[in-house]
Amino acid sequence: MDKLNNIIEKVREHQRIDIDEGLALFRQADFLTLARLADQKRFHLHPDKMVSYVVDRNINYTNICASGCRFCAFFFFFYQGQGRGYIISKQDLFDKIQETIDLGGTQILLQGGMHPDLGIDYYVDLLGYIKENFDIHIHGFSPPEIDFIAKKSSLSISETLSILKKAGLDSIPGGGAEILCDDVRQKVSPNKCSSAEWLEVMRQAHGLGMRSSATMMFGHLEKEFHVFEHMDKIRTLQDETHGFTAFIPWTFQPDNTKISVKKKTGVEYLRILAMSRLFLDNIDNIQASWVTQGDKIAQTALFFGANDMGSTMIEENVVASAGVDFMLSKEELTRLITMAGFEPRQRDCYYHLL
Amino acid sequence: MKKLPPELDMSVSTFTDKRLKSIFLNVLNGSRLSREDGICIYETHDLIGLGQMANHVRRSLHGNKAFYIYNQHLNYTNICKNRCRFCAYARDRKEKGAYAWSIEEIEKRLLDRIDEPVKELHIVGGLNVDLKFEYFIDLLKTVKRVRPEATIKAFTSVEIDYLSNLAGLSLEETIQRLKDAGLEMMPGGGAEVLNSRIHKELFPKKIGHERWLEIVRAVHQAGIKTNATMLYGHIETIEERVDHLVTLRELQDETGGFSAFIPLAFHSENTQLSHIPPTTAMDDLKNVAAARLMLDNFDHIKAYWVMIGEKLAQVALSFGADDLDGTIIEERITHMAGAKSAIGLTKDQMVNMITKAGFVPVERDSFYHPIN
């Protein structure tokens, strides 16, 4: 008990805690104590009673993917034959972006599968086409995609990022991190980049002046300590680069996937969310995941360390294909924030309020 | 002022709404909270502080236990002459989708699930003028015959009032007849908000709050326990909510006949009030916490997962709730009004939710006796 109190004291004095201390706090602290500590940390970093959100659209340029991750219900593994796979047409892309802008959107989240036939030229053309036609922020290509494009085109990570940046890529989403421990990755996404490669993409991107988010998908085959190892790796890189804008933990959605586990409950999500606010002392923003948790837990998350509601997600396909289809309009998103006693503020990708 | 033990002192020192401190001291001293305290509880934005207070009360009453029951709902008819504005369930007799189950159909529904360990039958329905008083007696007797080991929890005060008129019997005599036929407990529905303004606006044809209280009092005096509810999230004010809780608390002082209180989140879809947005988690959790703090003479507060969703009901166990209600297969009424929750939960899911929230699951019967 004394040990727990010492950790609590440390957290309240804004001292950094290590993996063991994080684990002890996570395992022993009462649910509402964790909430209060995370809430205090959140207000220490963001004293104003505001909660931000972004208006954007998730555009999946292809659902054909060579990765075949066992936790995925969306992407179409490339050698399974033809029929359900697609690559987005320029007309569709144009219409989707135009609609996003018409709805007050400021960015698109451009992600796809690791399509075995697409090299860097495809991506350069894609980015160029968007930038020629629209003034919109492109948040695109998570590290596994960057890594895949680099290998496919025999380029270094740094060359790949430079080329994409020049073609119009503005920032990198933190997806594909799953759990940054290779023993877990071997089990759930053996064909995806390693944890070191994921981190290297982010290091290089930050070095080129591109910002990124970081995510964590938990609730599959990881153990508790993996969660903290994951956060520790993110925190260490952030000390070096200061390139991460936000951390977004979410829970694995087991429906239609090859991993058979019980779905994490709301309380388990909120405990991890609170721990991420406490552990990641060098990351400004923690995002609630209404896409995986639903509106009620997402609103509750605002009292468990989250200061951002994420995106209105004009379109979301990946999580929806794993059996979750919560939808929130901008009006509903801002109502949730207001009803929780906060002022809703639309932001851009850099968390600047608009 | 009494000195607080260190762990409570820590909670109090972190309240972001300092008004909560004096309320909590009253709670700790066992002083009853006032109407003003209740209003403050609903007004505050310090959700975690509120949770800490309610959780303290909840844990001192029930420790780590969280209850649930294996139950079955029987909504015997949706034909109802009341047509309350907040209801998506009721139909007129000739309307599409209108139904009334015969006694044979009810028996069949019971037999369909006879291999399941159902401990309680929750039976409520509309005020259907085609059904005779004998139907209800027959209904209870049939259920008791088919499922002798399960408790019959049936009929809200609204139905009791109706049945008394239908039978042409006094309230006491009506209750006695139903009791003789097998009625053992009553749910808490039909109270809505105990307030004449809301009564007039939303459910003018249904009994008003004086009659609701009169019936519950008579039921309690007949030795039948009931629950109590409040339908929130429509047109009611904070003051009206608090008055509702205070009214229930007073009746409970008098009769001691209430078992659990259940806050019911209004669902507007397919109702005449469909312009009203759904309740949010903030409001749902506040209603649970407010109930736990204000209703100091109620043993149990339920988080009704059908209305607030499974995920939030689990969270509510740390905001004052000690009971997740039932596994409930075939919930109809709230789902007609757009509820997104599951139609039923398995025992495994219930146990998992409770365990993962850090509580010990206790399967109970209708009277909160543990089932082994």
Side-chain angles (χ1 to χ4, degrees):
Chain A
M1 210 56 199
D2 272 355
K3 191 180 165 221
L4 177 63
N5 286 334
N6 289 341
I7 301 169
I8 290 176
E9 264 325 291
K10 236 173 142 173
V11 164
R12 295 179 86 178
E13 285 164 12
H14 307 293
Q15 293 176 40
R16 181 165 282 195
I17 53 170
D18 64 21
I19 293 179
D20 286 342
E21 289 167 328
L23 266 170
L25 185 60
F26 176 66
R27 286 175 180 156
Q28 294 167 39
D30 171 80
F31 184 51
L32 294 177
T33 303
L34 276 188
R36 181 58 95 196
L37 291 171
D39 194 49
Q40 287 178 326
K41 186 78 183 171
R42 175 243 188 271
F43 275 105
H44 177 72
L45 294 167
H46 307 276
D48 294 325
K49 286 213 91 180
M50 281 186 226
V51 169
S52 51
Y53 66 95
V54 66
V55 178
D56 78 352
R57 177 174 209 143
N58 198 353
I59 298 177
N60 299 117
Y61 57 88
T62 182
N63 68 341
I64 295 172
C65 188
S67 197
C69 301
R70 297 183 61 226
F71 52 75
C72 185
F74 177 65
F75 289 100
F76 178 53
F77 199 25
F78 77 101
Y79 58 67
Q80 283 176 335
Q82 297 301 311
R84 292 180 300 156
Y86 72 83
I87 297 176
I88 198 165
S89 71
K90 289 218 166 128
Q91 188 60 50
D92 275 359
L93 184 66
F94 186 95
D95 293 345
K96 282 174 192 280
I97 298 175
Q98 187 59 54
E99 194 189 15
T100 308
I101 289 171
D102 294 345
L103 290 165
T106 55
Q107 68 175 35
I108 53 165
L109 170 58
L110 190 62
Q111 292 190 112
M114 288 149 49
H115 194 302
D117 301 333
L118 301 178
I120 187 117
D121 295 344
Y122 170 80
Y123 298 94
V124 169
D125 179 58
L126 184 70
L127 293 166
Y129 174 76
I130 297 170
K131 287 291 184 180
E132 269 162 37
N133 288 286
F134 300 101
D135 176 21
I136 196 158
H137 183 104
I138 305 177
H139 188 51
F141 314 130
S142 61
E145 290 164 271
I146 303 278
D147 182 70
F148 188 77
I149 298 165
K151 284 174 183 152
K152 167 84 189 160
S153 302
S154 306
L155 295 164
S156 71
I157 295 293
S158 144
E159 287 165 339
T160 308
L161 283 165
S162 298
I163 294 168
L164 295 174
K165 188 182 179 207
K166 202 167 153 233
L169 183 62
D170 294 299
S171 60
I172 312 263
E178 326 312 357
I179 289 284
L180 292 170
C181 301
D182 291 329
D183 47 341
V184 179
R185 298 176 85 74
Q186 275 304 320
K187 288 186 216 157
V188 301
S189 53
N191 305 321
K192 211 176 242 182
C193 66
S194 70
S195 55
E197 286 166 332
W198 191 96
L199 290 162
E200 188 54 26
V201 171
M202 288 309 195
R203 180 181 286 112
Q204 299 281 350
H206 295 169
L208 289 170
M210 295 161 99
R211 304 294 302 273
S212 79
S213 54
T215 66
M216 173 171 75
M217 182 180 76
F218 64 98
H220 38 91
L221 299 179
E222 84 289 351
K223 301 270 184 268
E224 284 173 355
F225 71 89
H226 289 123
V227 165
F228 287 85
E229 273 182 30
H230 175 100
M231 292 197 291
D232 189 57
K233 287 180 182 177
I234 301 277
R235 188 170 71 176
T236 304
L237 182 58
Q238 178 74 339
D239 278 343
E240 186 187 323
T241 66
H242 304 288
F244 290 118
T245 53
F247 184 72
I248 314 153
W250 62 62
T251 58
F252 168 58
Q253 305 297 322
D255 296 359
N256 310 325
T257 73
K258 291 177 184 155
I259 299 173
S260 161
V261 291
K262 278 202 170 88
K263 200 185 274 194
K264 287 284 177 199
T265 61
V267 167
E268 291 168 285
Y269 165 76
L270 291 169
R271 287 185 75 92
I272 294 279
L273 183 83
M275 280 312 308
S276 74
R277 177 61 290 166
L278 297 172
F279 196 84
L280 297 170
D281 53 5
N282 54 3
I283 293 186
D284 284 342
N285 303 291
I286 302 287
Q287 210 179 92
S289 172
W290 63 259
V291 177
T292 62
Q293 301 304 311
D295 55 346
K296 291 198 189 254
I297 296 296
Q299 191 194 37
T300 310
L302 302 179
F303 298 90
F304 283 74
N307 65 298
D308 188 87
M309 267 296 215
S311 152
T312 52
M313 295 253 188
I314 296 163
E315 179 181 15
E316 202 293 315
N317 305 308
V318 181
V319 179
S321 60
V324 174
D325 55 351
F326 299 115
M327 279 302 299
L328 282 187
S329 65
K330 179 173 166 177
E331 290 66 36
E332 184 57 12
L333 199 74
T334 55
R335 187 177 78 92
L336 292 178
I337 296 170
T338 309
M339 295 298 281
F342 298 92
E343 184 193 344
R345 292 294 298 268
Q346 191 179 342
R347 63 161 172 87
D348 65 15
C349 195
Y350 305 106
Y351 290 77
H352 298 138
L353 301 178
L354 299 177
Chain B
M1 224 177 253
K2 207 163 81 176
K3 195 167 159 31
L4 294 171
E7 68 279 8
L8 289 179
D9 191 47
M10 195 191 110
S11 306
V12 171
S13 69
T14 64
F15 286 168
T16 56
D17 182 345
K18 296 303 167 199
R19 293 178 302 171
L20 296 187
K21 186 173 176 179
S22 64
I23 296 179
F24 199 33
L25 290 175
N26 282 336
V27 169
L28 295 171
N29 292 329
S31 317
R32 178 158 276 193
L33 299 187
S34 67
R35 183 174 187 268
E36 288 63 40
D37 293 335
I39 291 168
C40 175
I41 285 169
Y42 274 114
E43 277 174 354
T44 188
H45 286 138
D46 186 0
L47 185 65
I48 300 302
L50 204 54
Q52 287 172 321
M53 299 199 297
N55 192 39
H56 175 79
V57 175
R58 178 240 185 274
R59 283 181 185 272
S60 43
L61 289 167
H62 306 292
N64 249 342
K65 289 181 205 158
F67 299 97
Y68 71 97
I69 189 163
Y70 201 118
N71 66 348
Q72 179 175 6
H73 277 206
L74 291 173
N75 301 126
Y76 55 89
T77 183
N78 64 350
I79 298 170
C80 186
K81 67 185 184 73
N82 270 356
R83 302 315 301 264
C84 306
R85 294 186 65 213
F86 52 73
C87 183
Y89 183 66
R91 293 286 180 276
D92 289 332
R93 209 184 195 163
K94 295 271 157 63
E95 213 175 323
K96 196 164 166 263
Y99 74 87
W101 291 341
S102 66
I103 298 297
E104 292 70 34
E105 272 176 277
I106 285 165
E107 181 161 357
K108 185 182 173 300
R109 276 169 198 276
L110 292 169
L111 289 172
D112 281 348
R113 298 184 56 201
I114 202 70
D115 295 331
E116 292 177 49
V118 170
K119 298 297 187 303
E120 177 183 276
L121 292 146
H122 174 96
I123 308 172
V124 293
L127 306 187
N128 181 344
V129 294
D130 294 334
L131 301 175
K132 306 281 178 280
F133 186 66
E134 288 66 37
Y135 170 87
F136 295 89
I137 298 295
D138 211 6
L139 166 66
L140 292 170
K141 285 183 172 166
T142 303
V143 173
K144 208 64 219 169
R145 172 170 55 77
V146 179
R147 273 275 186 201
E149 76 292 358
T151 300
I152 300 183
K153 184 181 83 184
F155 312 135
T156 63
S157 299
V158 182
E159 288 159 283
I160 300 289
D161 171 74
Y162 177 74
L163 292 179
S164 151
N165 291 332
L166 187 65
L169 295 169
S170 71
L171 202 48
E172 289 71 20
E173 183 65 17
T174 308
I175 296 165
Q176 192 55 49
R177 294 273 186 98
L178 296 170
K179 198 178 167 184
D180 291 343
L183 181 69
E184 293 165 277
M185 195 183 169
M186 266 174 53
E192 322 311 355
V193 182
L194 299 168
N195 173 285
S196 10
R197 176 186 80 89
I198 296 170
H199 177 230
K200 210 181 288 171
E201 259 185 73
L202 296 191
F203 50 102
K205 290 188 194 164
K206 191 181 265 185
I207 57 169
H209 74 274
E210 292 90 354
R211 180 69 174 157
W212 191 90
L213 292 168
E214 186 186 343
I215 291 167
V216 171
R217 187 181 283 115
V219 169
H220 289 175
Q221 279 160 1
I224 292 178
K225 288 256 182 190
T226 77
N227 290 331
T229 60
M230 174 170 72
L231 184 74
Y232 66 91
H234 41 86
I235 61 163
E236 83 292 356
T237 63
I238 283 177
E239 288 77 9
E240 287 162 347
R241 289 181 185 180
V242 175
D243 289 339
H244 179 97
L245 296 177
V246 169
T247 304
L248 291 175
R249 188 169 72 180
E250 284 167 2
L251 183 58
Q252 176 74 332
D253 275 344
E254 188 188 321
T255 66
F258 286 120
S259 174
F261 175 79
I262 312 144
L264 303 176
F266 175 56
H267 283 61
S268 70
E269 223 174 276
N270 307 323
T271 75
Q272 292 174 52
L273 304 170
S274 57
H275 59 283
I276 296 178
T279 64
T280 70
M282 181 82 170
D283 210 13
D284 299 330
L285 292 175
K286 268 188 189 177
N287 270 288
V288 170
R292 185 60 287 166
L293 291 165
M294 292 299 288
L295 299 175
D296 51 20
N297 51 6
F298 275 64
D299 285 342
H300 302 285
I301 306 293
K302 273 189 204 183
Y304 190 42
W305 61 263
V306 170
M307 287 192 165
I308 64 174
E310 303 88 298
K311 280 170 172 280
L312 195 68
Q314 186 204 24
V315 173
L317 291 175
S318 296
F319 284 77
D322 60 278
D323 188 348
L324 287 183
D325 195 70
T327 48
I328 313 178
I329 313 295
E330 303 174 273
E331 201 288 331
R332 287 162 187 273
I333 298 175
T334 312
H335 284 93
M336 287 299 292
K340 303 284 187 287
S341 53
I343 301 286
L345 288 179
T346 65
K347 200 165 149 170
D348 269 3
Q349 287 171 309
M350 200 68 112
V351 166
N352 184 54
M353 272 165 73
I354 293 172
T355 312
K356 295 293 168 54
F359 292 91
V360 177
V362 178
E363 187 183 348
R364 63 169 178 87
D365 68 11
S366 301
F367 307 103
Y368 288 87
H369 302 125
I371 306 278
N372 295 316

